[in-house]
Amino acid sequence: MLRLGRLGSLVLVIAVLSVSACGGSEEREAKYLERAREHLASEDYDKAKVDTRNVLKINHKNVEARYMLAQIAEKQENWRDMIGALNSTLEADPGHVEANIKLAQVLAGGNQLDKAEEHVNTVLQTYPINADALGTKALIEFRRGNKEQAQKLANQALAQDPAQTVALSTLGSLIGSAHPEELLALVDKGLAKDPTNLTLIKLRMAALEGMGRSDDVIAQLKQLVEQYPDDIEYARQLAAYYVNKFQASEAEAFLRERLAANPDDVRFKLLLVGYLQQIDGSEKAQAELHKMVDASPDTPELRFKLGELLVASGDLDQAEAVYKSTFDHGSEGTAYQTARVRLAQLALLQRDAAKAQGWVDQALEIEAANPDALLLQARIKFTEGKFEEAIPDLRMILRSNPEAVSALLMIAEAQRRTGSLDLALDNYRQVLGLAPDNAIALYQSATLMAARQEYDKAAANLEKLLASQPENVQAINELSGIYSKLQRWDEAQALITRLEGKPETQPVADLLSAGLAQRQGEAEKALHLAQSALEADAQLTGALTIIAESYYKLQKVDAGTKWFQGYLDEHPDSNGAKLLLAGLYMADDEKDLAAQTYKDVIARSPENIAAYINLSRLYLANGETDKVIALYEQGLKANPDNPTLAAGLANEYINAARYDDALALLDKAYAKNADAVVVGNNLAALLIDHFPTSENLQRAREITRGYETSSSPAQLDTAGWLQYHLDNIPQAISLLKAAQEAGGEGPEYWYHLGLAYSKNGQKDLAKEQLGKALEGEQQYAWRDAAQAAYDSL
């Protein structure tokens, strides 16, 4: 008998345990996978996701589990996770048929046709008659406009599988309207193979509708209602179809019948109310809801719907009473938080921010991270102009839900209002990643791109917006301006033509045509069109700028001042007109009149920042620096949180060698609004130039983090100047050159790059830059240093 020593016994035990553990992990993997399949089949997607992830914890290469995550995400309509899971599947198995086809379909839906075709071809190389791949390729060709090829491929797919839904849907788009009977025959073949396929059933109804067989469509919808009695969507579709066919009484009878069959299902109650509101108006819908609320007083959804109808009809006091009555049945839980938010929204609608904040405070006291309450609190701050204070609330929402589109839009708007334009653009792009057709994100991102001179990208976003909203005046205005920048004059005029010939939009068309004429140098035409637009619609005050500029370009400044004086006789409260009149006074060298006009604007509207800025420029031109400082101090007293005024005053303190005052001011402004780029940039520059301790340079590095990728010349210059002081000379040169390439121009830009070249031994380039910086007689704090560096070369 073989005897094992103690060491040998230990080795044997370890080996046995290892085998046992290995076998156990495989068994657990198989068990979790089987359970995940069962949960997926029973549509319990959350449990399926948990078990699938347990599989991947044991074996992260399990291809079936990776693909199952994609299926779960698709069922839950989480498209981002679905795409991620499909890519993960293909990382593990590049030839995975289903993942390649599914990803190709998603990409084709997003019009990424070349990438979609790559995935389809991966399948067809191995399986040349795969019906799903052929159907998807048919879709790709249809999207490309290759209709004959698309139809050929779709027919090839159907020859392999008569129920291939993508092929049938593509054929529906190709022949459905012209030959619905042919489509019906093809769909019926598919249904013979797969009689419960909902996509095919919907295609069948579309074909029947195309043939005018409305009764058959109704019969098909009734069958779906009977097959899926708990699915309210089919009931909704049938009611809508009745209404479209002018069978309103049948629609109401059907909905009341469904409600009788589901008397406790609030969804069917709300469906009936929605129908009554659409067909018979709010009054009948409210009456029905009052009956429902009386019968089910503890059903908050009915109460909330009644509140909505009352708000829509302008009965705000009654709406408030309805929302408050929710608390007759309790005070804790989701419904009561919703009631608090609704009451806050109602107060905000009544312009009572304090009352709205009171309801929000109650909601947040119960649930500090309630996203609806936080969003509403941010809106309250928006109404008060406190955009920077709204940002922390919005960030808290995004921490728990990074895909909250409403919060992303608001934080982008707050950043846009406070001058953090790069951050705003990033957030608008994030919105478009989640909701590619979001009109707000398309428009605002385009305006920011245009400001960065990224005209092609801006135009693409606006063109996409106008594809769904062809008469969107703001988008037409912005895009026509961009086309003008690109000298695409005919396309700009074609856009404006969309608004011509209609009494309600002709004045807008005239205003846009005036802007186009002005950009083409046709000042007389621009003046005539702008005045015509303003006469037709007094709200089109954007015409005032064109009128002022046209008078100036036509060298008719006296006529311009007289016109604006007449306009102000009729519109004495128009600050915009006053500012333009002051500009014309300046052009006519009537500086005293200009100064008095700016002062009048400030006296009437202390919040008008443009008046302070323009008056400060006038003082600077006269060399009256003391008046500039006093003016900015006056402006900040009235607008203590305004970053533009803070930066302007700090700049004047610096020019007066009051560096400690400048630092104290910028420190305070930065503490209030770290997202205001003009404040952060000026603070960093001040620390670098006048307080360059190692601690302050580190602080400047923190403030300027991200400036390296900015498109702002000032930010790039500050980032480069910091690298110069940190002795990273090649990086400094790269950033300082980028600042000039981005449009940065002037003595300070030349001085910074000149010193960097000098320190790097590039004497000729240094001499060129420093020479430009020293041109003229204007004195700068750095002039002696620039001269010494130049002389050393």
Side-chain angles (χ1 to χ4, degrees), residues 178-191:
H179 303 287
E181 68 286 348
E182 290 183 25
L183 177 62
L184 180 63
L186 290 168
V187 171
D188 282 343
K189 285 183 183 179
L191 283 169

Side-chain angles (χ1 to χ4, degrees), residues 204-206 208-209 212-226 234 237-247 250-251 254:
R204 187 173 194 275
M205 287 191 290
L208 291 169
E209 176 67 13
R213 292 168 57 178
S214 300
D215 290 343
D216 290 331
V217 175
I218 291 171
Q220 184 73 73
L221 281 168
K222 283 183 174 178
Q223 185 179 340
L224 286 171
V225 170
E226 290 170 7
Y234 297 117
Q237 287 179 23
L238 179 52
Y241 194 79
Y242 274 132
V243 172
N244 289 338
K245 295 302 174 183
F246 305 102
Q247 300 180 40
E250 286 88 344
F254 163 71

Side-chain angles (χ1 to χ4, degrees), residues 15 26 116 149 163 179 188 303 369 373 378-379 426 428 439 460 466 495 506 553 568 570 606 610 622 660 735 773 788:
E26 289 176 355
Q149 181 67 4
H179 303 287
D188 282 343
R303 201 177 304 278
R379 286 190 176 130
D426 287 344
Y428 284 128
L466 286 168
L495 276 176
Q506 184 62 53
K553 289 179 180 177
L568 283 167
E570 296 180 18
N622 292 337
D660 290 334
L735 289 166

Side-chain angles (χ1 to χ4, degrees), residues 116 256 482 790:
R256 292 192 181 279
I482 290 169
Y790 183 83

Side-chain angles (χ1 to χ4, degrees), residues 753-754 757-758 762-771 793:
L753 184 54
Y757 277 141
S758 177
Q762 295 172 274
K763 294 185 177 182
D764 290 342
L765 292 173
K767 196 164 187 176
E768 176 190 352
Q769 292 288 318
L770 291 169
L793 298 171

Side-chain angles (χ1 to χ4, degrees), residues 79 190 214 345 451 584:
W79 312 121
S214 300
Q345 290 171 334
L584 288 171

